[in-house]
Amino acid sequence: RKYVALCLHFNFQMAVVALLIASIILTVLHILGTIPCINDYVVGESDRPVQSGFAVRVAAGPVFLFTLFFGRNLVASCGWLGPDVFLDKVCIHQTNRRIQKKGILKLGAFLRHSEEML
């Protein structure tokens, strides 16, 4: 749940923008006739089928979800790192003294394997 919350917080805007861009591109391609259409029948209207582009419907969910979960990885691969995030990796037990001591003794190993500290 924490991962999804972080993705929503940091990637939601990017996912919406990616969805809008993909929708616009696919709609233009549909209007130009370069992607196939399907026939929709509107209930209560004439029996004549209405041509509809299905690419936006099919692509909307995957584009949004892919960008939501992997958008920062894509922009990071292009050189833009985005905001720094503090991740509380080390949780020291507060009531059990034996577990607390073990956690404190392991802090050095964690820091030794860290590349940078904020």
Side-chain angles (χ1 to χ4, degrees), residues 60-88:
V63 165
F64 181 81
L65 291 174
F66 183 81
T67 308
L68 183 69
F69 290 115
F70 303 109
R72 290 286 164 199
N73 297 6
L74 291 174
V75 271
S77 67
C78 297
W80 185 72
L81 299 178
D84 290 327
V85 178
F86 172 75
L87 178 63
D88 187 7

Side-chain angles (χ1 to χ4, degrees), residues 6-67:
L6 286 171
C7 286
L8 286 170
H9 179 75
F10 287 106
N11 297 348
F12 183 77
Q13 269 187 312
M14 185 187 323
V16 169
V17 169
L19 175 62
L20 288 172
I21 290 171
S23 297
I24 290 169
I25 291 170
L26 291 171
T27 301
V28 168
L29 292 175
H30 167 72
I31 291 170
L32 295 175
T34 56
I35 55 176
C37 302
I38 58 172
N39 291 328
D40 279 345
Y41 292 91
V42 181
V43 176
E45 297 290 324
S46 67
D47 292 335
R48 193 179 95 233
V50 177
Q51 287 215 336
S52 171
F54 69 95
V56 174
R57 293 184 215 168
V58 172
V63 165
F64 181 81
L65 291 174
F66 183 81
T67 308

